[in-house]
Amino acid sequence: MALNVKFGVSTWLWTSPFNKETVNLFPKIKSYGYDSVEIPVEDPALIDTDWVKKALADNGLSPIICGAFGPTRDLTHEDPSYHKTCFDYLEACFEIASELGAGFVAGPMYSAVGKARLVSPEQKKIEWNRAVTNLRKVCGRAGEFGLEIAIETLNRFETDLINTAEELMQLIHDINEPQAKAILDGFHMNIEEPDIEQAIRRVGEKLIHVQVSENYRGTPGTGQTNWAAWKRGLEAINYQGTISIESFTPEVKELAGAVCIWKPLVPSQDGFAKEGLEFLKKWAAA
């Protein structure tokens, strides 16, 4: 059975941070056959929403807004000033999403990416409760903008808080707000999930966005990902959202260092985008 989905790609595949010049990628992205573009908001001040809105309209692309959660944007930190920094940042993301017509802001917004430690059960409980309390506040603000949040699991090397679909669903359950939804990223799932299909089924109707690459963060269809399990899982929950390719370029050293890409994964980033989409369209239609 064919999947009724749309396809997107992150501008992180080519560049970082997103700024006024990044919209020059939009005609190419559209020419490859994509429906949507993921806009990573590293620095909200660099994003001219009027400029981006016009470029989206000119190229017939829909926006997906993704957050970037570095060390200062940490809702589990013991210092409330870090929470304030993250709240202010998410407020800016909500403003951008609202102005561009996106329906949600996605990302691992419960904690800072890279905060991966072996902590006591007592300390983990404290940080879990901080995430729940603060994300309830985030949900309330998102709701005032008419938006949802798509919370992302990360692998164990990038966070110690939420690694699996089961943990993600527990977090969403504890937040207990209608705006709290889920995003699943195949790269992280290939590390953490023993059963891709069951993980997707577990998230179910809460799933509002999907990101994919290969197990080694390369072009979809060239690695060890169990694409049949992905298809069965998405069919089972009748997923009809967007499936986006998210990977990174080694040419942007700061970003490449953050995600541990030390060498080119493909001969060309353009080829990554084109060939990855060709594979995904055939896979979804089969």
Side-chain angles (χ1 to χ4, degrees), residues 96-115:
I96 291 167
S98 179
E99 290 176 25
L100 295 181
F104 58 85
V105 172
M109 55 193 73
Y110 40 83
S111 184
V113 176
K115 190 175 181 179

Side-chain angles (χ1 to χ4, degrees), residues 212-228:
V212 295
S213 58
E214 266 301 343
N215 60 292
Y216 67 102
R217 259 193 170 130
T219 309
T222 64
Q224 300 182 58
T225 296
N226 188 341
W227 292 102

Side-chain angles (χ1 to χ4, degrees), residues 12 18 39-45 47 65-68 73 89 92-93 96:
W12 265 336
F18 191 101
I39 298 172
V41 181
E42 291 168 82
D43 182 351
I47 298 182
I65 304 303
C66 296
R73 300 167 183 167
Y89 166 70
C93 289
I96 291 167

Side-chain angles (χ1 to χ4, degrees), residues 229-251:
W230 265 101
K231 185 91 177 295
R232 291 193 301 270
L234 294 174
E235 285 175 347
I237 68 170
N238 193 30
Y239 180 74
Q240 296 185 21
T242 298
I243 299 174
S244 288
I245 292 178
E246 185 199 55
S247 190
F248 309 90
T249 172
E251 295 304 312

Side-chain angles (χ1 to χ4, degrees), residues 34-90:
Y34 286 97
D35 307 293
S36 304
V37 58
E38 284 193 6
I39 298 172
V41 181
E42 291 168 82
D43 182 351
L46 296 178
I47 298 182
D48 182 329
T49 52
D50 290 338
W51 185 264
V52 176
K53 184 185 293 187
K54 183 179 185 304
L56 290 167
D58 288 348
N59 293 282
L61 291 168
S62 299
I64 295 164
I65 304 303
C66 296
F69 298 89
T72 63
R73 300 167 183 167
D74 184 359
L75 294 182
T76 63
H77 201 282
E78 62 183 7
D79 184 345
S81 69
Y82 284 74
H83 309 169
K84 176 68 162 55
T85 297
C86 194
F87 290 146
D88 291 346
Y89 166 70
L90 282 166

Side-chain angles (χ1 to χ4, degrees), residues 55-187:
L56 290 167
D58 288 348
N59 293 282
L61 291 168
S62 299
I64 295 164
I65 304 303
C66 296
F69 298 89
T72 63
R73 300 167 183 167
D74 184 359
L75 294 182
T76 63
H77 201 282
E78 62 183 7
D79 184 345
S81 69
Y82 284 74
H83 309 169
K84 176 68 162 55
T85 297
C86 194
F87 290 146
D88 291 346
Y89 166 70
L90 282 166
E91 175 83 8
C93 289
F94 293 150
E95 290 174 357
I96 291 167
S98 179
E99 290 176 25
L100 295 181
F104 58 85
V105 172
M109 55 193 73
Y110 40 83
S111 184
V113 176
K115 190 175 181 179
R117 313 134 304 150
L118 183 61
V119 298
S120 68
E122 293 78 14
Q123 180 63 23
K124 184 157 187 177
K125 182 65 174 174
I126 290 169
E127 295 184 12
W128 181 279
N129 289 340
R130 285 182 190 141
V132 169
T133 298
N134 286 324
L135 285 173
R136 281 185 186 143
K137 297 175 184 177
V138 170
C139 283
R141 191 63 182 130
E144 291 174 10
F145 280 93
L147 299 169
E148 296 175 315
I149 61 171
I151 307 171
E152 181 180 5
T153 65
L154 297 179
N155 69 73
R156 70 191 69 180
F157 307 108
E158 297 185 40
T159 185
D160 55 51
L161 197 67
I162 306 291
N163 301 133
T164 65
E166 183 177 7
E167 291 168 339
L168 176 59
M169 290 307 291
Q170 184 62 55
L171 180 67
I172 290 172
H173 175 270
D174 289 358
I175 295 168
N176 194 28
E177 295 289 346
Q179 294 82 16
K181 299 295 175 64
I183 169 179
L184 290 176
D185 182 320
F187 170 74

